[in-house]
Amino acid sequence: MSADLSTIDDAVRDNLSRVLSKPVDPADFDPDRDLADGYGLTSMQKVMFLMSACDDTGVALETFTEPDVAAMKTLRDVTDALAGAVAG
């Protein structure tokens, strides 16, 4: 998938919204808020979120190492990581 940053950001926001226990409108996410502490994202939800976001952006989840995934603490971190992977 050839995607621009806006398309990747939209996919990331939509996928995060789907996995959270408490609904949050994708447009209302703070890109710098901690996913776990700020939105209550569990480790299982993070895996589901990243799998879906990767699928929607055409990035193989295997692109990222365990330390890469651990470093994805905010929405901006995830968006930037996916954009970097898409850009190759």
Side-chain angles (χ1 to χ4, degrees):
M1 171 184 183
S2 177
D4 62 24
L5 188 58
S6 175
T7 303
I8 293 169
D9 185 61
D10 289 345
V12 170
R13 288 171 178 272
D14 289 343
N15 282 290
L16 179 58
S17 180
R18 285 188 215 126
V19 300
L20 294 178
S21 302
K22 294 179 183 177
V24 176
D25 186 282
D28 292 337
F29 285 119
D30 175 349
D32 297 311
R33 188 173 182 188
D34 188 275
L35 296 172
D37 293 337
Y39 293 109
L41 193 73
T42 66
S43 57
M44 181 57 77
Q45 288 171 318
K46 185 175 185 179
V47 169
M48 292 173 15
F49 157 56
L50 290 174
M51 286 173 53
S52 297
C54 283
D55 285 347
D56 287 355
T57 57
V59 174
L61 185 58
E62 297 81 21
T63 301
F64 304 109
T65 64
E66 188 175 333
D68 292 336
V69 171
M72 294 180 204
K73 297 185 183 290
T74 67
L75 197 69
R76 187 180 313 277
D77 294 337
V78 175
T79 301
D80 289 348
L82 289 169
V86 167

